[in-house]
Amino acid sequence: MKLTNPNDVPVYTISGASTARPLPDWLARKRKRSLKNDPEYANRVELLQDFEFEEASSCIRVSEDGEWVMSTGTYKPQIHTHYLPHLSLSFARHTTTLNHSFVLLSSDYSKSLHLQTDRRLEFHTPGGCHYQTRLPRYGRDLQYNRHSAEALIPAVGVNADGSGEVYRLNLEIGRYMKPYQVDVGGDDLTTAGGGALQGGINTGSVNVAAIAEDSHNLLAFGTSIGTVEFWDPRTKARVGLLRGKEGEITALDFDRSGLSLATGSSEGLVQIFDLRRPVPMLRKDQGYGYPVKTLMHMTTSSQEKKILSADKRIIKLWDEADGKAWTSVEPAVDINSVAWCKESGMILTANEGKQQHAFFIPQLGPAPKWCSFLDNMVEEMAEEAPAETYDNYKFLTLPELNALNLGHLVGTTNLLRPYMHGYFVASRLYEEARLIANPYIWDEERTKRVREKVEKERASRIRGSKKVKVNQSLVDKMLKRQERRQKVDEDMGVLGDSRFGKLFEDEEFTVDERSREFQALNPSTKVGERVEASRVGAESDGSESDGTEDDNDEVVGPSKPKVKPEMRISSSSYKKSGHQRQDKPLGSRTHVGGRVDKNKGDIVGERQVTFAPRTWRKEQQRVEPVRKGRRDEGRRSASGNVFRRL
């Protein structure tokens, strides 16, 4: 869900397009395929299935039982009926002409009366169009009086007497009754009456009707000359007149008590009248200058009275008592009709876009029963309410504004937006003013960044090795490992632990790198090279050590001549086989003589190698000299050392 009005009274857009121009079907399908991995698209909420028309929708109504929604639209002209508990489209029905308005005659969808744009009235049932009848003139609105079972159709034009008419179709008797004659100012050709049947271009008309069903049952008719006439259906006579000034009356609505009447004009002006007073109690401008299409008295869950007014651009909700704006929602497409699910916070619209909109206002009321899951979703979103951020603005206090020579803008322009103890300034204006106040700011900023980068690189280096009395080479080795990890701290690990203090102070803990145990654990230690490195390091007094040294290399004290180890094998078989104690090079080893090719002249080299076959008997007759020693006798051969004979 999208939060369209993140203020004190949030409005959540449940369904509906966010763009005024719908995408082609093939492009929409392609975009859906590309958005299949988008988490926001995957977590979207589709409140009603197929809650849309091919081009636009013109009118929408919610049944009294709150389980059905019927809407009409184009193109082609059709009727959609949704069953709300199933959140799906129940049926769709096509008509021959466009629909102007309709009313539901029953508590559900089973009986409906539709006013078409070709001067026809159509009665629809679940089986289809039940009956059609034709009107003398084009109808402007449609209302149903339940007390007298009459359909009221305000029409355009005047009769022979120069008065506008409101047709009455009695559904109980099945015929037209005498119409109500309303003063609309006459025809544009002859104001005294007698004009054309349909009237001229600027002819008068009765635009809208309203019925006070829950109270005194008076009828109110708004005209094109800005007046509102009140008729009593019992006496069939006019009982009152409310004169207006600004524009035509395009919307009317009675309060439940019947004492308050809201009027909307073609100039976008909304007025609230008390029937006991001729002057308006409250005047409210819609703000865009478009005709008001829908007016509705509403009561919130906290029993606060609100007024909903809608033109083709915006839906506004404001307080009935003082006219204070409560909340608003402005869709991306033009609005044709608005319906409210009573005793809830759900508002449905018919608009010029392909998709119809559904808005949810939690403070207006709870979610309807058929979508009660919205309450939990709204609570989760409210817990994660994001803080307001101003990416393109810079907050400055008054002293900072004076430092930038912008103090003269306070109270004289809208470039500064006051907030708490300072002002929000556009980032672009702030940067320009800052550059004018200090032309060298960019050079200073560049120098500052270079200095920070250099300090960051220096922090990863060893500026001086830690000096200790004993095992200095071990300390250097630890610091070098820290340097490779780009985090140098002389008091980290063993170096800063007091339990290992004697390791670097007491000479009894000196590591003897010439001992057999040390050489067994560090076989790659080069004692001679480390001695020279230690001397150079001592002369340089803490200079950086070479980074290419092995981690196992250690700095040791004075060097001694290295004794080359003697490789000796104590096996008796090895002694008896005639091998020497020390291995000799390949060229100095003794080889058994063989045949010599006489065609090859003199032999060059230490030995002659041939692959000529030799007899086994001669090999056995050959006696190899055996070296005997005092340790060779009485030993058993454990290995023949075959590879030594190669």
mmCIF file of all heavy atoms in Angstrom, residues 426-453:
data_model
loop_
_atom_site.group_PDB
_atom_site.id
_atom_site.type_symbol
_atom_site.label_atom_id
_atom_site.label_comp_id
_atom_site.label_asym_id
_atom_site.label_seq_id
_atom_site.Cartn_x
_atom_site.Cartn_y
_atom_site.Cartn_z
ATOM 1 N N ALA A 426 16.890 25.727 0.237
ATOM 2 C CA ALA A 426 17.209 24.812 -0.850
ATOM 3 C C ALA A 426 18.722 24.608 -0.936
ATOM 4 O O ALA A 426 19.508 25.553 -0.777
ATOM 5 C CB ALA A 426 16.662 25.340 -2.170
ATOM 6 N N SER A 427 19.115 23.378 -1.180
ATOM 7 C CA SER A 427 20.546 23.049 -1.194
ATOM 8 C C SER A 427 21.292 23.834 -2.263
ATOM 9 O O SER A 427 22.435 24.257 -2.057
ATOM 10 C CB SER A 427 20.725 21.547 -1.423
ATOM 11 O OG SER A 427 20.138 20.814 -0.371
ATOM 12 N N ARG A 428 20.661 24.030 -3.389
ATOM 13 C CA ARG A 428 21.321 24.779 -4.461
ATOM 14 C C ARG A 428 21.569 26.232 -4.054
ATOM 15 O O ARG A 428 22.653 26.777 -4.289
ATOM 16 C CB ARG A 428 20.453 24.714 -5.715
ATOM 17 C CG ARG A 428 21.095 25.318 -6.946
ATOM 18 C CD ARG A 428 20.220 25.098 -8.163
ATOM 19 N NE ARG A 428 20.808 25.721 -9.348
ATOM 20 C CZ ARG A 428 20.256 25.696 -10.559
ATOM 21 N NH1 ARG A 428 19.086 25.071 -10.717
ATOM 22 N NH2 ARG A 428 20.844 26.288 -11.581
ATOM 23 N N LEU A 429 20.560 26.846 -3.438
ATOM 24 C CA LEU A 429 20.738 28.222 -2.973
ATOM 25 C C LEU A 429 21.800 28.288 -1.880
ATOM 26 O O LEU A 429 22.610 29.226 -1.845
ATOM 27 C CB LEU A 429 19.397 28.756 -2.453
ATOM 28 C CG LEU A 429 19.418 30.160 -1.833
ATOM 29 C CD1 LEU A 429 19.872 31.191 -2.849
ATOM 30 C CD2 LEU A 429 18.048 30.516 -1.261
ATOM 31 N N TYR A 430 21.820 27.311 -1.012
ATOM 32 C CA TYR A 430 22.814 27.293 0.065
ATOM 33 C C TYR A 430 24.230 27.192 -0.489
ATOM 34 O O TYR A 430 25.143 27.912 -0.046
ATOM 35 C CB TYR A 430 22.513 26.129 0.999
ATOM 36 C CG TYR A 430 23.619 25.833 1.981
ATOM 37 C CD1 TYR A 430 23.873 26.679 3.059
ATOM 38 C CD2 TYR A 430 24.433 24.713 1.828
ATOM 39 C CE1 TYR A 430 24.897 26.421 3.953
ATOM 40 C CE2 TYR A 430 25.455 24.446 2.718
ATOM 41 C CZ TYR A 430 25.687 25.297 3.774
ATOM 42 O OH TYR A 430 26.707 25.033 4.653
ATOM 43 N N GLU A 431 24.433 26.329 -1.478
ATOM 44 C CA GLU A 431 25.767 26.170 -2.048
ATOM 45 C C GLU A 431 26.219 27.442 -2.762
ATOM 46 O O GLU A 431 27.386 27.853 -2.664
ATOM 47 C CB GLU A 431 25.785 24.983 -3.015
ATOM 48 C CG GLU A 431 25.545 23.636 -2.349
ATOM 49 C CD GLU A 431 26.646 23.261 -1.384
ATOM 50 O OE1 GLU A 431 27.762 23.823 -1.507
ATOM 51 O OE2 GLU A 431 26.407 22.416 -0.504
ATOM 52 N N GLU A 432 25.305 28.085 -3.489
ATOM 53 C CA GLU A 432 25.675 29.322 -4.187
ATOM 54 C C GLU A 432 26.010 30.431 -3.194
ATOM 55 O O GLU A 432 27.005 31.163 -3.371
ATOM 56 C CB GLU A 432 24.539 29.744 -5.108
ATOM 57 C CG GLU A 432 24.321 28.801 -6.282
ATOM 58 C CD GLU A 432 23.175 29.249 -7.164
ATOM 59 O OE1 GLU A 432 22.523 30.264 -6.796
ATOM 60 O OE2 GLU A 432 22.928 28.607 -8.199
ATOM 61 N N ALA A 433 25.191 30.573 -2.156
ATOM 62 C CA ALA A 433 25.467 31.606 -1.156
ATOM 63 C C ALA A 433 26.767 31.311 -0.409
ATOM 64 O O ALA A 433 27.537 32.227 -0.084
ATOM 65 C CB ALA A 433 24.300 31.707 -0.178
ATOM 66 N N ARG A 434 27.025 30.073 -0.150
ATOM 67 C CA ARG A 434 28.264 29.703 0.536
ATOM 68 C C ARG A 434 29.480 30.009 -0.323
ATOM 69 O O ARG A 434 30.521 30.458 0.168
ATOM 70 C CB ARG A 434 28.190 28.218 0.877
ATOM 71 C CG ARG A 434 29.319 27.724 1.767
ATOM 72 C CD ARG A 434 29.158 26.241 1.989
ATOM 73 N NE ARG A 434 30.256 25.696 2.760
ATOM 74 C CZ ARG A 434 30.528 24.416 2.871
ATOM 75 N NH1 ARG A 434 29.748 23.545 2.235
ATOM 76 N NH2 ARG A 434 31.539 23.988 3.584
ATOM 77 N N LEU A 435 29.367 29.776 -1.630
ATOM 78 C CA LEU A 435 30.488 30.054 -2.538
ATOM 79 C C LEU A 435 30.727 31.551 -2.677
ATOM 80 O O LEU A 435 31.877 32.001 -2.766
ATOM 81 C CB LEU A 435 30.202 29.430 -3.901
ATOM 82 C CG LEU A 435 31.300 29.562 -4.959
ATOM 83 C CD1 LEU A 435 32.590 28.919 -4.477
ATOM 84 C CD2 LEU A 435 30.860 28.960 -6.271
ATOM 85 N N ILE A 436 29.630 32.331 -2.684
ATOM 86 C CA ILE A 436 29.797 33.783 -2.794
ATOM 87 C C ILE A 436 30.414 34.348 -1.521
ATOM 88 O O ILE A 436 31.281 35.230 -1.561
ATOM 89 C CB ILE A 436 28.434 34.440 -3.096
ATOM 90 C CG1 ILE A 436 27.940 34.007 -4.483
ATOM 91 C CG2 ILE A 436 28.534 35.953 -2.995
ATOM 92 C CD1 ILE A 436 26.548 34.488 -4.813
ATOM 93 N N ALA A 437 29.992 33.829 -0.367
ATOM 94 C CA ALA A 437 30.533 34.325 0.894
ATOM 95 C C ALA A 437 32.010 33.987 1.056
ATOM 96 O O ALA A 437 32.777 34.775 1.613
ATOM 97 C CB ALA A 437 29.731 33.756 2.062
ATOM 98 N N ASN A 438 32.442 32.855 0.584
ATOM 99 C CA ASN A 438 33.842 32.438 0.680
ATOM 100 C C ASN A 438 34.256 31.811 -0.642
ATOM 101 O O ASN A 438 34.022 30.620 -0.882
ATOM 102 C CB ASN A 438 34.023 31.447 1.838
ATOM 103 C CG ASN A 438 35.491 31.122 2.076
ATOM 104 O OD1 ASN A 438 36.382 31.695 1.446
ATOM 105 N ND2 ASN A 438 35.745 30.199 2.981
ATOM 106 N N PRO A 439 34.869 32.578 -1.560
ATOM 107 C CA PRO A 439 35.212 32.030 -2.887
ATOM 108 C C PRO A 439 36.229 30.893 -2.825
ATOM 109 O O PRO A 439 36.342 30.127 -3.786
ATOM 110 C CB PRO A 439 35.779 33.248 -3.626
ATOM 111 C CG PRO A 439 35.320 34.434 -2.852
ATOM 112 C CD PRO A 439 35.215 33.990 -1.440
ATOM 113 N N TYR A 440 37.006 30.803 -1.758
ATOM 114 C CA TYR A 440 38.045 29.772 -1.679
ATOM 115 C C TYR A 440 37.568 28.531 -0.925
ATOM 116 O O TYR A 440 38.379 27.737 -0.445
ATOM 117 C CB TYR A 440 39.283 30.341 -0.987
ATOM 118 C CG TYR A 440 39.819 31.586 -1.653
ATOM 119 C CD1 TYR A 440 39.524 32.850 -1.126
ATOM 120 C CD2 TYR A 440 40.599 31.511 -2.798
ATOM 121 C CE1 TYR A 440 39.995 34.005 -1.730
ATOM 122 C CE2 TYR A 440 41.075 32.658 -3.410
ATOM 123 C CZ TYR A 440 40.777 33.902 -2.867
ATOM 124 O OH TYR A 440 41.252 35.031 -3.467
ATOM 125 N N ILE A 441 36.267 28.367 -0.827
ATOM 126 C CA ILE A 441 35.742 27.249 -0.038
ATOM 127 C C ILE A 441 36.057 25.915 -0.678
ATOM 128 O O ILE A 441 36.312 24.908 -0.013
ATOM 129 C CB ILE A 441 34.219 27.421 0.139
ATOM 130 C CG1 ILE A 441 33.675 26.361 1.069
ATOM 131 C CG2 ILE A 441 33.503 27.316 -1.163
ATOM 132 C CD1 ILE A 441 33.395 26.753 2.406
ATOM 133 N N TRP A 442 36.091 25.907 -2.037
ATOM 134 C CA TRP A 442 36.353 24.626 -2.717
ATOM 135 C C TRP A 442 37.795 24.192 -2.520
ATOM 136 O O TRP A 442 38.075 22.998 -2.331
ATOM 137 C CB TRP A 442 36.023 24.743 -4.198
ATOM 138 C CG TRP A 442 34.574 25.015 -4.458
ATOM 139 C CD1 TRP A 442 34.034 26.135 -5.014
ATOM 140 C CD2 TRP A 442 33.470 24.155 -4.149
ATOM 141 N NE1 TRP A 442 32.668 26.040 -5.082
ATOM 142 C CE2 TRP A 442 32.293 24.815 -4.559
ATOM 143 C CE3 TRP A 442 33.365 22.898 -3.564
ATOM 144 C CZ2 TRP A 442 31.035 24.254 -4.410
ATOM 145 C CZ3 TRP A 442 32.106 22.327 -3.423
ATOM 146 C CH2 TRP A 442 30.967 23.009 -3.839
ATOM 147 N N ASP A 443 38.719 25.151 -2.571
ATOM 148 C CA ASP A 443 40.124 24.806 -2.335
ATOM 149 C C ASP A 443 40.327 24.311 -0.913
ATOM 150 O O ASP A 443 41.080 23.351 -0.676
ATOM 151 C CB ASP A 443 41.003 26.029 -2.602
ATOM 152 C CG ASP A 443 40.969 26.438 -4.070
ATOM 153 O OD1 ASP A 443 40.630 25.567 -4.905
ATOM 154 O OD2 ASP A 443 41.250 27.613 -4.370
ATOM 155 N N GLU A 444 39.666 24.949 0.040
ATOM 156 C CA GLU A 444 39.789 24.501 1.425
ATOM 157 C C GLU A 444 39.196 23.107 1.620
ATOM 158 O O GLU A 444 39.758 22.277 2.339
ATOM 159 C CB GLU A 444 39.085 25.505 2.344
ATOM 160 C CG GLU A 444 39.741 26.881 2.359
ATOM 161 C CD GLU A 444 38.972 27.851 3.239
ATOM 162 O OE1 GLU A 444 37.925 27.424 3.796
ATOM 163 O OE2 GLU A 444 39.387 29.016 3.353
ATOM 164 N N GLU A 445 38.090 22.868 0.961
ATOM 165 C CA GLU A 445 37.478 21.537 1.082
ATOM 166 C C GLU A 445 38.367 20.465 0.467
ATOM 167 O O GLU A 445 38.511 19.366 1.017
ATOM 168 C CB GLU A 445 36.109 21.554 0.386
ATOM 169 C CG GLU A 445 35.294 20.296 0.557
ATOM 170 C CD GLU A 445 34.815 20.093 1.974
ATOM 171 O OE1 GLU A 445 34.753 21.092 2.724
ATOM 172 O OE2 GLU A 445 34.524 18.932 2.336
ATOM 173 N N ARG A 446 38.989 20.782 -0.666
ATOM 174 C CA ARG A 446 39.875 19.809 -1.303
ATOM 175 C C ARG A 446 41.097 19.539 -0.434
ATOM 176 O O ARG A 446 41.525 18.387 -0.254
ATOM 177 C CB ARG A 446 40.309 20.329 -2.678
ATOM 178 C CG ARG A 446 41.215 19.384 -3.443
ATOM 179 C CD ARG A 446 41.540 19.944 -4.823
ATOM 180 N NE ARG A 446 42.420 19.064 -5.530
ATOM 181 C CZ ARG A 446 43.744 19.042 -5.413
ATOM 182 N NH1 ARG A 446 44.325 19.901 -4.549
ATOM 183 N NH2 ARG A 446 44.491 18.197 -6.100
ATOM 184 N N THR A 447 41.680 20.599 0.137
ATOM 185 C CA THR A 447 42.832 20.416 1.030
ATOM 186 C C THR A 447 42.458 19.594 2.254
ATOM 187 O O THR A 447 43.225 18.735 2.698
ATOM 188 C CB THR A 447 43.365 21.795 1.455
ATOM 189 O OG1 THR A 447 43.666 22.567 0.292
ATOM 190 C CG2 THR A 447 44.614 21.648 2.287
ATOM 191 N N LYS A 448 41.261 19.825 2.767
ATOM 192 C CA LYS A 448 40.815 19.074 3.938
ATOM 193 C C LYS A 448 40.662 17.596 3.621
ATOM 194 O O LYS A 448 41.080 16.720 4.398
ATOM 195 C CB LYS A 448 39.490 19.660 4.426
ATOM 196 C CG LYS A 448 38.923 18.958 5.640
ATOM 197 C CD LYS A 448 37.595 19.576 6.053
ATOM 198 C CE LYS A 448 36.998 18.832 7.237
ATOM 199 N NZ LYS A 448 35.687 19.414 7.629
ATOM 200 N N ARG A 449 40.105 17.283 2.462
ATOM 201 C CA ARG A 449 39.927 15.878 2.096
ATOM 202 C C ARG A 449 41.255 15.193 1.844
ATOM 203 O O ARG A 449 41.444 14.028 2.214
ATOM 204 C CB ARG A 449 39.040 15.776 0.859
ATOM 205 C CG ARG A 449 37.597 16.204 1.113
ATOM 206 C CD ARG A 449 36.728 16.013 -0.104
ATOM 207 N NE ARG A 449 35.344 16.408 0.148
ATOM 208 C CZ ARG A 449 34.364 16.326 -0.743
ATOM 209 N NH1 ARG A 449 34.626 15.852 -1.951
ATOM 210 N NH2 ARG A 449 33.145 16.706 -0.422
ATOM 211 N N VAL A 450 42.198 15.908 1.221
ATOM 212 C CA VAL A 450 43.525 15.326 1.001
ATOM 213 C C VAL A 450 44.203 15.057 2.336
ATOM 214 O O VAL A 450 44.842 14.013 2.537
ATOM 215 C CB VAL A 450 44.369 16.258 0.115
ATOM 216 C CG1 VAL A 450 45.818 15.791 0.069
ATOM 217 C CG2 VAL A 450 43.797 16.311 -1.297
ATOM 218 N N ARG A 451 44.083 15.990 3.285
ATOM 219 C CA ARG A 451 44.691 15.802 4.599
ATOM 220 C C ARG A 451 44.084 14.596 5.316
ATOM 221 O O ARG A 451 44.800 13.797 5.928
ATOM 222 C CB ARG A 451 44.506 17.068 5.429
ATOM 223 C CG ARG A 451 45.282 17.033 6.757
ATOM 224 C CD ARG A 451 44.995 18.253 7.604
ATOM 225 N NE ARG A 451 45.292 19.497 6.916
ATOM 226 C CZ ARG A 451 44.382 20.346 6.494
ATOM 227 N NH1 ARG A 451 43.097 20.086 6.696
ATOM 228 N NH2 ARG A 451 44.724 21.454 5.876
ATOM 229 N N GLU A 452 42.773 14.451 5.235
ATOM 230 C CA GLU A 452 42.135 13.302 5.871
ATOM 231 C C GLU A 452 42.590 11.991 5.253
ATOM 232 O O GLU A 452 42.796 10.994 5.956
ATOM 233 C CB GLU A 452 40.617 13.440 5.759
ATOM 234 C CG GLU A 452 40.042 14.574 6.597
ATOM 235 C CD GLU A 452 38.544 14.707 6.404
ATOM 236 O OE1 GLU A 452 38.006 13.979 5.539
ATOM 237 O OE2 GLU A 452 37.916 15.545 7.096
ATOM 238 N N LYS A 453 42.746 11.978 3.945
ATOM 239 C CA LYS A 453 43.193 10.749 3.283
ATOM 240 C C LYS A 453 44.617 10.392 3.679
ATOM 241 O O LYS A 453 44.944 9.223 3.930
ATOM 242 C CB LYS A 453 43.093 10.924 1.768
ATOM 243 C CG LYS A 453 43.366 9.650 0.987
ATOM 244 C CD LYS A 453 43.121 9.861 -0.487
ATOM 245 C CE LYS A 453 43.368 8.566 -1.262
ATOM 246 N NZ LYS A 453 43.130 8.734 -2.709
#
